[in-house]
Amino acid sequence: MTSRSKEKIAFAILTLTTILVTMPVILIVATIVKQGIGAINIEFLTTFPRNGMREGGIYPAIFGTLCLVAGAVVFAVPLGVGAAIYLNEYAGENLLTRLIRLAIINLAGVPSVVYGLFGMGLFVIFLNFGASILAGSLTLAVMNLPVIITASKEALSAVPQPFREVSLSLGASRWQTVRHIVLPNAVPGILTGIILEVSRAAGETAPILFTVAAFYLPGLPSSVFNQVMALPMHLFAISTQIPNISLETRYGTALVLLGLVFLVNSFAIVMRAILRRRRKW
Amino acid sequence: MHQRSRFDSVREFIVEKTVLLSGLASIVFVLLIFVFLLKEGLRTFGIVSLEDFLLGRKWYPISSPPKFGILPLIGGTLAVTVGATLLSVPFGIASAFYIAEVAGPRMKEMLKTGIELLAAIPSVVIGFLGMVIVAPFIGDLFDLPTGQTALSGAVMLSLMAMPTIVSIAEDAITAIPGKYREAALALGATRWEYICRIAVRAAAPGIVAAVMLGIGRVIGETMAVMMITGNSAQIPHSLLQPVRTMTATIAAEMGETVPGGDHYAALFAIGLVLFVITFFVNLVADVFLHKDRGTVQ
Amino acid sequence: MVDERRTHTDYKFVIRDLTLFYGEKRILNSLDLSVRRNEILGIIGPANSGKSTFLRTLNRMIDLTPLVRAEGEALLDGVNVLGNVDVHFLRRRVGIVFALPLPLPLSIFDNVAYGPRRHRSVQRGELPDLVERSLQAAFLWDEVKDRLHEPAMNLSGGQQQRLCIARTLAVQPEVILFDEPCSGLDPISTARVEDAMRVLKEQYTLILVTNLVAQASRVSDRTAFFLSGDLVEVDETEQMFRKPSDQRTDDYIAGRFG
């Protein structure tokens, strides 16, 4: 066999595998949309579940997820962006920097359920927040810190070094340089990281299992010390805990969750594309 | 020589310390996770020895007296991990080569977006689909009493490990200096020969890291395995048996425990084991990731 | 090298026994050199003769390069800038124009206003006036006065470099360092930058590092010749180009090496 025809066969196999790898995304989305779209209506999105969650809507779960995501963003973004600024703009190449980097890698690898344990031990019990929006948001925030740090750091380091030199050469201080030159040019990249965090936080179940999520609540939370329902938790509950629930309701819930996550993700993808096109340097 | 205003110097000082603290937060959190796992979990080893805990064959946490042997859970995690790795590694790496070396720019962008979306699907959604579609299918296929088996878990988890493996391996392949490729093609090699003889070797450390991180992802995955693998805490002898992983055990049983009780402590001890395992997996991955590339003879 | 007929106050910069290291390697050996007020001092020499690093030492831009270290003294109006000084304030007094035009990703106006805004050195209302004067001094005003709020990146290379000069001027420095400012420019743009320099020396002290021997002969009052980390000689430009006192200078100027 000639090396050309060998190449043809090999590339055909590679193409086939790649199709196999990417097919599931399409299948998953198609299945969920097809099976779940029938359940989606205004009532489903805006009312409380009824009759042991077999009927009615999923409004409190949607609301709870939005609360948790907002809380996670509030806690994780300042800390994550601050850490990225430190690593990219202030830190020298020393032991401390290496330790921080190691810690971030480690945080990114800790299993989500271990975050659940940590959040329960620290926020729920030790700090006595109870199972609450506060405890859940904090747990999600810690878990998503590496995402924000990594994305922000990448965005900061994409700002060309000479800009910093010019600013400093004009007598600006380091913080002025970061504030007026580096950050404005890194904002789109940082936002992309935040959006990715949002989408991850919205879909996570294990970290909120013991820190916030309720199986069923008759009302909306009135403070950050209340429990809430959450979409992924709700999907888990109606899939595994409640018999005789219609498949369409379950698919509908999955569709809402997936739709939310994908919507947020496509923001990030579109934003990055625009950013790449607009960049001048 | 004139100085800046006092206000400016104070502001610089405050900013510098604030960002330093944000940087230190990561270290603090890792330590806190470790400390709280120890604080709540260490007590377990007053009830069972470390050896009986890790190698005990019986996990009966609510019988009296309770038995806290996590070997069946380790076995469950191992079965699912090995299965998922065997499925996702060859496919993932092949796709990485396709995306990096074969696909045109448009195709590349589409595939990468697809992989990114796959990564974004929440694990509970994967678990749900595994439960209603894949598990029954596997049950029918192998004529099993239940399709909720290690294999069903492995299939779904391989999907979840895929994005990690593909994107990191693809980065490693793309990072190979262009001169190797040009030299190989100039010498008359086909692109396939370049991939086989040069790219595979040059990207090897990155590919190893990709596999390690994929494995780390699988070991830590919770919701999907809990929903698909049948939740039976027995040492598996084949992939077609129901299993229960360490992560699923924590998630499934924590709700029934009394904070501070023995069962509660034992679940934290499992968390500690998971923490240590993933720590090393990620550490090894990082070492490979930062290995100098381009050591091709 | 210090000219004994002049008094101390005639010098803006007095550099004594300055040695620069890159890691363990010496890149400049025990240099003595003084810069007069309101002169253009040209510095010529082949690549890697230490002239750029020397220039960056004078406003401590070398602080940004981890491996570079300086020993000795560089006195600006009698104060050693290598000692414990506020580097941000030093850089306001000693501005620099880099080899490649580097506009910040801002509008033309905001580029020029960048320094004064950070230093709050002028009232808000006076800013447009300062920007106009700076652009005029850099011979750029007429070309950009109708599009001050366009991105600076849209300017041509030569215009960008004059914008960088205007940006440095707006900080109202006392000394301006030019680090091969015309290396990326065409002859016409180069001529315009040189015109600007000749006018600027009325008000400022200029140090011009250049890889173009002819440029030094055209604009500088005095010229120093650096070779592999040593100052070979420094003299009035006319004198140096007519009859250099060192054979190596003669060879370099005549283009026999470098």
Side-chain angles (χ1 to χ4, degrees), chain B residues 258-282:
Chain B
V258 185
D262 292 349
H263 188 190
Y264 171 90
L267 294 181
F268 271 89
I270 297 176
L272 197 58
V273 173
L274 277 170
F275 181 82
V276 172
I277 293 174
T278 49
F279 182 88
F280 280 108
V281 167
N282 282 288

Side-chain angles (χ1 to χ4, degrees), chain C residues 139-165:
Chain C
F139 289 92
L140 188 60
W141 175 251
D142 292 335
E143 292 162 58
V144 300
K145 63 182 173 200
D146 299 323
R147 45 176 181 145
L148 289 175
H149 296 284
E150 279 181 28
M153 300 276 184
N154 293 353
L155 296 174
S156 72
Q159 288 172 327
Q160 287 185 5
Q161 193 60 309
R162 277 176 284 146
L163 177 72
C164 293
I165 296 174

Side-chain angles (χ1 to χ4, degrees), chain C residues 179-225:
Chain C
D179 187 3
E180 303 187 5
C182 302
S183 51
L185 303 186
D186 59 85
I188 295 166
S189 302
T190 301
R192 307 220 60 178
V193 171
E194 288 174 5
D195 287 343
M197 283 192 253
R198 286 191 199 97
V199 178
L200 290 174
K201 75 168 182 179
E202 306 295 328
Q203 276 187 62
Y204 308 91
T205 303
L206 272 54
I207 306 176
L208 166 68
V209 161
T210 176
N211 51 355
L212 310 168
V213 174
Q215 182 168 54
S217 76
R218 284 195 298 267
V219 293
S220 59
D221 299 308
R222 290 191 307 147
T223 300
F225 173 53

Side-chain angles (χ1 to χ4, degrees), chain B residues 16-292:
Chain B
E16 203 172 322
K17 295 305 164 204
T18 310
V19 295
L20 171 65
L21 283 179
S22 319
L24 290 176
S26 299
I27 297 183
V28 172
F29 284 129
V30 170
L31 290 178
L32 275 178
I33 292 173
F34 191 57
V35 164
F36 271 88
L37 292 175
L38 281 179
K39 175 177 170 292
E40 306 285 333
L42 213 52
R43 218 166 36 74
T44 307
F45 304 111
I47 309 162
V48 291
S49 70
L50 181 64
E51 198 189 334
D52 287 346
F53 180 72
L54 291 176
L55 300 176
R57 295 172 152 268
K58 292 197 169 98
W59 175 259
Y60 298 147
I62 43 177
S63 68
S64 67
K67 289 210 164 34
F68 297 116
I70 64 167
L71 197 60
L73 314 178
I74 295 177
T77 294
L78 202 65
V80 174
T81 305
V82 169
T85 307
L86 288 179
L87 282 170
S88 58
V89 166
F91 286 101
I93 292 173
S95 304
F97 274 106
Y98 181 81
I99 293 172
E101 292 293 334
V102 186
R106 263 203 111 95
M107 190 64 178
K108 198 176 197 160
E109 211 46 49
M110 258 171 56
L111 288 171
K112 286 177 94 161
T113 307
I115 297 284
E116 215 168 309
L117 289 180
L118 186 58
I121 299 175
S123 72
V124 67
V125 172
I126 301 263
F128 168 66
L129 288 174
M131 222 176 87
V132 296
I133 298 176
V134 176
F137 174 75
I138 286 185
D140 288 348
L141 190 65
F142 295 99
D143 200 19
L144 302 167
T146 170
Q148 301 222 339
T149 57
L151 180 63
S152 322
V155 170
M156 292 320 263
L157 280 193
S158 69
L159 286 183
M160 305 184 73
M162 206 68 88
T164 310
I165 296 177
V166 175
S167 62
I168 292 172
E170 198 253 333
D171 281 348
I173 299 162
T174 311
I176 300 172
K179 60 184 178 193
Y180 289 141
R181 189 195 164 95
E182 282 154 30
L185 298 186
L187 291 171
T190 61
R191 282 193 295 163
W192 173 242
E193 284 162 341
Y194 161 74
I195 292 175
C196 288
R197 297 195 190 144
I198 297 169
V200 167
R201 261 184 262 175
I207 292 175
V208 173
V211 172
M212 294 302 289
L213 290 171
I215 291 175
R217 178 89 210 265
V218 172
I219 294 176
E221 177 44 46
T222 311
M223 297 315 288
V225 284
M226 181 159 66
M227 293 165 84
I228 314 170
T229 57
N231 276 327
S232 159
Q234 47 178 308
I235 298 174
H237 299 288
S238 95
L239 283 181
L240 294 177
Q241 286 179 341
V243 293
R244 166 174 261 187
T245 64
M246 292 189 275
T247 50
T249 306
I250 299 174
E253 294 177 8
M254 187 51 93
E256 308 155 11
T257 64
V258 185
D262 292 349
H263 188 190
Y264 171 90
L267 294 181
F268 271 89
I270 297 176
L272 197 58
V273 173
L274 277 170
F275 181 82
V276 172
I277 293 174
T278 49
F279 182 88
F280 280 108
V281 167
N282 282 288
L283 200 64
V284 172
D286 191 57
V287 168
F288 275 101
L289 213 50
H290 290 111
K291 232 180 187 181
D292 273 341

